[in-house]
């Protein structure tokens, strides 16, 4: 699964994207897996209320299923306009 | 409908003129331009805008499509830049056209409200000695509730 990061999430993790081997059923499960990887993931995911998630480039939420999903993106609330 | 996501500057006058000239059934065209504002300290050197290529275009198209479903619009234009900008540079513009002005104004406000918090852009303010991500505002999220 491709996992992409933007803005300060990208900076804290230190990567714009990576391939992740996972059998996580939901976004929350994937986050739990990532948090155990390394300290920088724990820091980036410490406050989920400050994060948003997109599945295959559509806004979603942390309870959503990852079944059939190819790309997961994590980022802070958007500041366009 | 025209959606443009680009790094390059755009000519708001030329875009507004082309948009108006392409209309045949509208009595009102509204344009809004978003400009890089200096920060509270007045020392902004650069504004960097990051975006999510692919999702950005999809999200903008979805927002503009919803506007055309809610209001009787002849045309919609959205241009949003990413990359490096300076204070007073133009970041983005929207244009809407309808038979009457109320629909054109309302649709432009709707587009702006959703663009702020539903299109994947992130602003970073650069000063001489700091780089900070612009935090989203609660009022931006609240603004969506009126629609």
């Amino acid at each position: 699964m491709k996992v992409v990061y933007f803005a300060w999430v990208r900076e804290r993790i230190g990567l714009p994207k990576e391939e992740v081997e996972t059998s996580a059923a939901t976004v929350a499960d994937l986050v739990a897996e990532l948090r155990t990887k390394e300290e920088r993931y724990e820091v980036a995911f410490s406050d989920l209320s400050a994060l948003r998630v997109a599945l295959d480039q559509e806004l979603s939420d942390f309870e959503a299923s990852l079944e059939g999903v190819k790309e997961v993106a994590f980022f802070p609330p958007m500041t366009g306009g | 409908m025209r959606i443009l996501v680009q790094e390059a500057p755009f000519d708001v006058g030329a875009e507004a003129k082309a948009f108006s000239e392409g209309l045949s059934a509208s009595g009102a065209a509204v344009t809004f331009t978003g400009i890089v504002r200096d920060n509270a300290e007045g020392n902004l050197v650069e504004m960097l805008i990051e975006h999510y290529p692919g999702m950005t275009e999809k999200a903008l198209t979805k927002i503009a499509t919803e506007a055309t479903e809610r209001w009787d619009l002849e045309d919609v234009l959205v241009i949003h830049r990413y990359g490096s900008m300076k204070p007073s540079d133009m970041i983005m513009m929207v244009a809407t056209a309808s038979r009457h002005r109320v629909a054109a104004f309302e649709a432009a406000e709707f587009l702006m409200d959703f663009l702020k918090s539903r299109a994947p852009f992130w602003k970073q303010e650069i000063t001489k000695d700091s780089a900070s991500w612009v935090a989203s505002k609660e009022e931006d999220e609240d603004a969506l509730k009126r629609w």
Side-chain angles (χ1 to χ4, degrees):
Chain A
M1 180 177 290
K2 185 177 174 190
V3 183
V4 294
Y5 310 107
F6 291 97
W8 57 254
V9 184
R10 171 178 55 70
E11 289 179 343
R12 285 182 198 177
I13 291 174
L15 286 173
K17 62 181 176 199
E18 61 184 323
E19 281 295 327
V20 174
E21 288 291 330
T22 179
S23 52
T26 66
V27 177
D29 293 343
L30 174 64
V31 168
E33 273 185 27
L34 290 171
R35 286 178 76 152
T36 62
K37 267 174 80 153
E38 282 176 54
E39 174 72 21
R40 57 201 168 104
Y41 290 90
E42 178 62 33
V43 172
F45 289 108
S46 59
D47 178 10
L48 292 191
S49 72
L51 289 180
R52 300 291 179 269
V53 58
L55 301 181
D56 290 332
Q57 306 191 349
E58 291 273 352
L59 270 182
S60 187
D61 58 71
F62 288 90
E63 304 314 312
S65 166
L66 290 178
E67 195 178 342
V69 171
K70 294 187 176 67
E71 184 172 301
V72 181
F74 293 105
F75 42 78
M78 296 157 272
T79 52
Chain B
M1 184 192 301
R2 194 157 154 256
I3 309 288
L4 291 171
V5 180
Q6 62 186 48
E7 190 164 11
F10 58 89
D11 180 336
V12 64
E15 294 292 348
K17 183 167 183 281
F19 182 80
S20 300
E21 286 174 352
L23 304 171
S24 59
S26 294
V30 165
T31 61
F32 171 88
T33 312
I35 298 164
V36 178
R37 177 180 53 223
D38 205 343
N39 62 8
E41 294 73 34
N43 63 355
L44 185 74
V45 174
E46 184 184 9
M47 168 90 79
L48 272 177
I49 299 184
E50 181 170 331
H51 80 119
Y52 186 171
M55 180 173 166
T56 308
E57 291 79 356
K58 281 187 207 172
L60 294 178
T61 302
K62 189 175 167 193
I63 294 165
T65 301
E66 195 176 335
T68 63
E69 287 163 2
R70 295 177 64 142
W71 289 275
D72 181 19
L73 302 176
E74 184 182 351
D75 200 7
V76 176
L77 167 69
V78 179
I79 302 176
H80 203 304
R81 294 178 63 199
Y82 59 88
S84 170
M85 279 154 250
K86 301 270 185 282
S88 305
D89 281 357
M90 290 174 200
I91 304 175
M92 54 84 60
M93 74 176 283
V94 300
T96 55
S98 186
R99 293 183 62 78
H100 300 289
R101 73 176 186 278
V102 173
F105 273 120
E106 283 184 3
E109 286 214 68
F110 170 91
L111 287 168
M112 287 313 306
D113 281 348
F114 277 83
L115 256 154
K116 275 209 155 315
S117 48
R118 291 291 183 273
F121 291 99
W122 299 275
K123 294 194 183 105
Q124 191 177 34
E125 292 181 343
I126 315 286
T127 65
K128 195 163 65 69
D129 38 35
S130 74
S132 54
W133 292 99
V134 174
S136 65
K137 295 191 192 80
E138 210 166 304
E139 66 209 51
D140 290 340
E141 196 60 34
D142 289 344
L144 304 186
K145 291 176 188 157
R146 65 175 164 145
W147 308 108

